Amino acid sequence: MLRRTCALLAVRRARGLATRPVFYYNDVWEFPLPENHRFPMAKYRLVREALQAEGVAAAFEPSPLASLTDLTTTHCRGYCERFVGGKLTAAENRNIGFPWSPAAPTALGFCVFSDIAVAANVLLRDYGDVVEKILVVDVDVHQGNGNAKLFEGAPAVTTFSMHCDGNYFSEKRASDVDVEVPAGAGDGEYLRLLKSYVQMLAGGGADVVFLQAGVDPSEHDRLGKLRLTADGLRRRNKLLLDAFLRKGASVVVTMGGGYPKNLDPAGEREA
């Protein structure tokens, strides 16, 4: 679902209002997908339920809706209005990858809107007194080309993408920093490469960091190719989170992509 979730959480932390992590969820909205659709939409609900069952020390809150005005901080108003009104062309809907339905205007479709970019732009628009510099760290298996393009030449937002060099499925763009990881790298090579960038990223003085922590680098992912274990994903996330939190940045983590052969909430939760 497309929400103001990221912006709200970041501002809470920046203003010292968040005393413990907040897990915003949006699985209260049902989005009808065709049977055997490749994207496992249920993973978001299953991860939330698994964390709640374990008694994880976090507040769980439904995420609030983004407004049309929020969307147009980032996207063309005409496109946003046509999507909300169900007036996209058949070709546009095919590119999105999800069928349009009456639930669609309240849902985040497959590349319908860039949720991180919208949240970042809302922060800069509404909370400029506490948020001046934003860092987007994308460790999804695919390049973060959408944010790279949307924030091209934007001085307040720095983009970093670490992705598989053999896994481009759309046009390559130039992030501020792009790191290509060879297919089949595994935990050791991947983490050694990531460690060489962590201090540079953490030392950049970002007020808010968006961490797109996709689990599709997993060895169990159908499309991933990087072959990270669950422990490798856990170490990846801890390495980044520890570095940013030590610098006092507000960190917003999003689950990102993942196309597992068998949906496993225990594996997905590493995001």
Side-chain angles (χ1 to χ4, degrees):
M1 310 291 176
L2 185 64
R3 313 287 166 176
R4 297 186 69 178
T5 297
C6 299
L8 288 169
L9 178 54
V11 170
R12 280 189 177 190
R13 291 186 60 87
R15 289 182 168 164
L17 300 177
T19 57
R20 59 175 177 163
V22 180
F23 188 112
Y24 284 102
Y25 62 91
N26 44 54
D27 53 74
V28 294
W29 299 91
E30 293 292 333
F31 188 79
L33 291 179
E35 188 176 354
N36 298 320
H37 193 280
R38 64 177 180 167
F39 188 75
M41 185 70 76
K43 71 178 185 175
Y44 300 109
R45 174 180 54 80
L46 293 172
V47 169
R48 172 180 63 82
E49 290 174 348
L51 293 174
Q52 287 177 309
E54 288 184 18
V56 171
F60 288 80
E61 300 181 15
S63 51
L65 285 165
S67 67
L68 183 62
T69 301
D70 292 336
L71 296 179
T72 56
T73 61
T74 305
H75 298 287
C76 168
R77 174 171 287 274
Y79 169 76
C80 295
E81 290 176 343
R82 288 190 300 112
F83 175 78
V84 171
K87 296 179 180 179
L88 295 183
T89 66
E92 287 172 322
N93 278 319
R94 282 195 299 272
N95 286 335
I96 289 171
F98 282 170
W100 195 94
S101 78
T106 59
L108 168 63
F110 200 53
C111 303
V112 178
F113 304 111
S114 177
D115 50 353
I116 289 176
V118 171
N121 283 322
V122 168
L123 281 175
L124 295 170
R125 181 194 69 190
D126 295 349
Y127 305 103
D129 58 328
V130 291
V131 178
E132 296 181 358
K133 296 181 67 176
I134 293 174
L135 171 65
V136 178
V137 176
D138 191 327
V139 287
D140 193 282
V141 78
H142 303 106
Q143 189 200 27
N145 55 348
N147 287 323
K149 178 62 177 177
L150 289 167
F151 292 117
E152 188 175 38
V157 181
T158 300
T159 54
F160 172 90
S161 178
M162 184 166 168
H163 49 271
C164 180
D165 65 0
N167 214 325
Y168 286 93
F169 68 94
S170 56
E171 185 177 355
K172 183 177 180 180
R173 301 288 188 176
S175 309
D176 291 303
V177 180
D178 281 304
V179 181
E180 295 194 328
V181 185
D187 294 352
E189 185 173 0
Y190 183 95
L191 292 170
R192 280 194 297 273
L193 189 56
L194 179 59
K195 285 177 182 176
S196 67
Y197 288 90
V198 167
Q199 294 309 312
M200 179 270 290
L201 293 171
D207 302 300
V208 175
V209 178
F210 287 93
L211 175 55
Q212 171 77 332
V215 295
D216 45 10
S218 167
E219 61 186 341
H220 300 299
D221 195 89
R222 290 178 294 174
L223 307 176
K225 299 185 181 180
L226 284 180
R227 303 190 63 79
L228 269 65
T229 66
D231 182 63
L233 290 168
R234 187 180 304 112
R235 289 163 61 193
R236 175 199 72 178
N237 295 344
K238 187 176 189 304
L239 179 66
L240 290 164
L241 284 170
D242 286 351
F244 296 133
L245 293 174
R246 278 197 300 267
K247 293 292 186 179
S250 297
V251 183
V252 180
V253 182
T254 55
M255 287 178 62
Y259 300 86
K261 298 168 187 173
N262 297 296
L263 187 56
D264 174 15
E268 291 285 341
R269 62 176 293 173
E270 298 308 331

